[in-house]
């Protein structure tokens, strides 16, 4: 993705968003108003900020809005959907999803290998053990049928 093509790539991705994701029928609840968001990497969010800012001076880019918040921050929206960034998303990916469809998960490979028990009797004098775990984790998708993913 580049600053020159990011707006068009977001529009193309939006075209493949499942209807059930946008209209709330995937939950079976009438009037499901949970917002669908667009997620992308930090680097691509910066490209998006520049692209939207550059085109606002000429004309508001179709479908994109740059909102200024009371705390001084800005929010970019596309057709009403908030665009969020995350440092864990690879630069060649972006996706539309509901926040409730994203969960924190581990790789389950390093979980058990990286566990340590510390006997506190020898360090603090307490009659206790401390368990320390090191593991990798990241964003997992709960339902793959309710996400629109772009890999560029």
């Amino acid at each position: 993705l580049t600053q020159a093509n990011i707006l068009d790539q977001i529009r193309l991705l939006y075209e493949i968003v499942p209807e059930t994701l946008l209209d709330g029928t995937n939950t079976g609840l009438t009037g499901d108003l949970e917002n669908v968001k667009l997620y992308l990497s930090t680097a691509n969010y910066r490209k998006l900020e520049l692209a939207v800012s550059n085109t606002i001076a000429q004309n508001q880019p179709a479908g994109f809005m740059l909102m200024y918040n009371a705390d001084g921050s800005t929010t970019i929206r596309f057709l009403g959907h908030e665009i969020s960034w995350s440092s864990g998303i690879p630069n060649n990916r972006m996706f539309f999803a509901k926040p409730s469809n994203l969960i924190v998960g581990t790789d389950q490979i390093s979980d058990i290998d990286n566990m340590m028990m510390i006997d506190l009797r020898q360090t603090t004098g307490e009659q206790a053990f401390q368990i320390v775990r090191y593991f990798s984790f990241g964003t997992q998708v709960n339902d793959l049928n309710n996400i629109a993913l772009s890999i560029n």
Side-chain angles (χ1 to χ4, degrees):
L1 293 170
T2 66
Q3 181 181 335
N5 75 1
I6 194 163
L7 300 179
D8 290 331
Q9 292 298 314
I10 291 172
R11 288 185 189 104
L12 289 172
L13 176 60
Y14 188 76
E15 290 178 12
I16 65 166
V17 173
E19 287 295 322
T20 56
L21 182 59
L22 296 176
D23 67 13
T25 58
N26 59 321
T27 62
L29 299 174
T30 305
D32 179 12
L33 299 177
E34 182 186 359
N35 292 328
V36 174
K37 294 184 179 186
L38 172 63
Y39 297 91
L40 40 80
S41 70
T42 306
N44 286 334
Y45 190 83
R46 289 181 184 151
K47 292 173 191 172
L48 177 64
E49 283 180 313
L50 292 172
V52 171
S53 297
N54 288 341
T55 56
I56 283 178
Q58 301 160 6
N59 270 330
Q60 183 86 2
F64 289 90
M65 264 179 31
L66 182 61
M67 301 173 65
Y68 295 93
N69 303 317
D71 64 0
S73 65
T74 58
T75 302
I76 301 175
R77 292 185 173 272
F78 175 67
L79 298 177
H81 302 284
E82 184 178 344
I83 301 175
S84 299
W85 57 269
S86 173
S87 58
I89 300 173
N91 286 334
N92 67 336
R93 293 191 184 148
M94 60 181 168
F95 58 92
F96 279 96
K98 290 186 176 186
S100 63
N101 194 21
L102 305 176
I103 55 177
V104 175
T106 68
D107 62 3
Q108 297 183 348
I109 295 171
S110 64
D111 294 2
I112 295 176
D113 294 342
N114 294 314
M115 187 167 79
M116 176 180 10
M117 292 183 68
I118 301 171
D119 184 352
L120 295 179
R121 291 178 295 184
Q122 298 168 356
T123 55
T124 65
E126 293 180 65
Q127 297 289 321
F129 286 94
Q130 185 176 33
I131 299 174
V132 179
R133 295 188 72 176
Y134 299 97
F135 54 90
S136 302
F137 69 95
T139 303
Q140 308 292 319
V141 177
N142 188 37
D143 181 2
L144 291 174
N145 294 319
N146 286 304
I147 188 170
L149 173 66
S150 171
I151 301 175
N152 297 324

